[in-house]
Amino acid sequence: MTLAVCTTTESREEAQKIARACVEARLAACVHIDEIASIYVWQGDVQEGREFRLTMKTTAEAYPALETLIQQHHSYDLPAIYAFEVVRGSGDYLDWVRGEVTPCGQAG
């Protein structure tokens, strides 16, 4: 099963660092980085600011290792990490994602 995994960071540099680590570890085939505006509650107060959303293409088998790697590189106390199942997509593209991702990363 193919997944799109999302997280957000406070800087483009951190987003690029996480993206590169995930792709180099072969836990994500591709990562998109988008600048977004976020409004959220943190420690009882409404916050508003700029963040960078990462969308990583991976497999369900690689998700546990990918989540661990994101947490290791993330500066947030409680990073948002969540996944969406890709229920439809170009067959060739989804095959490419599965071919590029190693479930346990390079060490596996």
Side-chain angles (χ1 to χ4, degrees), residues 3 5 7-8 11-12 23 25-26 30 33 37 41 44 46 49 53 55 62 64 66 83 86 88 93 97-99 105:
L3 301 177
V5 177
T7 193
T8 55
S11 73
R12 181 174 300 280
V23 171
R26 307 269 328 234
C30 174
I33 300 171
V41 176
V46 175
R53 178 180 48 220
T55 305
L66 178 63
V86 177
R88 295 196 192 277
Y93 178 77
V97 170
R98 288 188 291 270

Side-chain angles (χ1 to χ4, degrees), residues 3 11 16 18 22 34 49 53 59 63 65-66 77 95 101 108:
L3 301 177
S11 73
Q16 290 172 321
I18 291 171
C22 293
D34 302 299
R53 178 180 48 220
T59 63
Y63 179 84
L66 178 63
D77 293 335
D95 287 344
V101 172

Side-chain angles (χ1 to χ4, degrees), residues 13-82:
E13 294 75 22
E14 183 177 10
Q16 290 172 321
K17 179 182 84 169
I18 291 171
R20 181 165 290 281
C22 293
V23 171
E24 287 178 350
R26 307 269 328 234
L27 293 172
C30 174
V31 181
H32 292 164
I33 300 171
D34 302 299
E35 186 174 342
I36 61 172
S38 293
I39 301 172
Y40 55 96
V41 176
W42 182 246
Q43 298 178 338
D45 294 321
V46 175
Q47 307 289 321
E48 187 169 346
R50 175 182 75 160
E51 289 188 297
F52 294 86
R53 178 180 48 220
L54 291 83
T55 305
M56 305 171 206
K57 280 53 124 231
T58 191
T59 63
E61 296 80 17
Y63 179 84
L66 178 63
E67 180 180 331
T68 297
L69 186 63
I70 293 167
Q71 289 174 336
Q72 288 171 347
H73 286 86
H74 214 294
S75 65
Y76 286 178
D77 293 335
L78 181 62
I81 305 170
Y82 49 93

